[in-house]
Amino acid sequence: MTWLAHLNARLSAIVLVLARLCLAGLGLVVLYGVVTRYAFNNEPPYVEQLALLLVISVSMFGAACVAHDAGHIGLDSIVNRLPPAVRHTIARLVALSTLVFSIVILYGAWEMARSTHDNLIPTLGISEAWRYLPLIIAGALIALFSIDRLLRRMATDDHE
């Protein structure tokens, strides 16, 4: 296992813990919102926006973990019937397209964060740029994971 693979495994484990914490926080925030709304008829205004930030975080951090584990949806039943050389080529194309996609996400999220950093989320009192931080983190991690996968595919193809 290369140093990059070790680094990626650790980063994936860290982001998985973050996703779990955000999911637990989301459950608590939604429960708090429901109780304060229906039991006390007085839901705090920040609950919905905080829940939205946590949903974005859970989904993007989860996507990064899935990208590391190569757990995304694939057409393995078709690909497995192809000759090994074609399978390796398809695997490289998948890694390359995932890398390109993650760079597009990273760039778009960075631009949105940059353009909205002066705007505030009124109920939370924080910058709108915080909405894009999970996308930036996930985009960077998915890019890093894709580079590692692409390098491993290239090394495997060279030895076969």
Side-chain angles (χ1 to χ4, degrees), residues 102-103 105-106 134-147:
S102 66
I103 291 170
I105 289 175
L106 180 58
L135 281 84
I136 292 169
I137 292 169
L141 288 172
I142 293 170
L144 192 61
F145 300 158
S146 298
I147 289 168

Side-chain angles (χ1 to χ4, degrees), residues 51-64:
L52 180 60
L53 284 173
L54 290 170
V55 165
I56 293 167
S57 298
V58 168
S59 61
M60 293 312 299
F61 295 157

Side-chain angles (χ1 to χ4, degrees), residues 37-111:
R37 178 186 303 148
Y38 293 109
F40 303 109
N41 199 24
N42 186 21
E43 181 183 20
Y46 59 84
V47 169
E48 185 179 337
Q49 291 300 316
L50 184 56
L52 180 60
L53 284 173
L54 290 170
V55 165
I56 293 167
S57 298
V58 168
S59 61
M60 293 312 299
F61 295 157
C65 289
V66 168
H68 176 263
D69 297 338
H72 49 79
I73 297 172
L75 299 175
D76 293 341
S77 59
I78 296 171
V79 174
N80 288 339
R81 295 177 188 212
L82 298 173
V86 176
R87 284 197 307 257
H88 288 299
T89 301
I90 289 173
R92 285 190 303 218
L93 287 173
V94 167
L96 185 61
S97 62
T98 304
L99 175 61
V100 169
F101 180 72
S102 66
I103 291 170
V104 169
I105 289 175
L106 180 58
Y107 176 76
W110 181 265
E111 285 299 311

Side-chain angles (χ1 to χ4, degrees), residues 110-131:
W110 181 265
E111 285 299 311
M112 288 301 296
R114 199 172 59 77
S115 70
T116 62
H117 79 280
D118 289 332
N119 303 341
L120 291 180
I121 300 172
T123 56
L124 294 178
I126 61 174
S127 170
E128 283 278 350
W130 281 97
R131 291 189 198 276

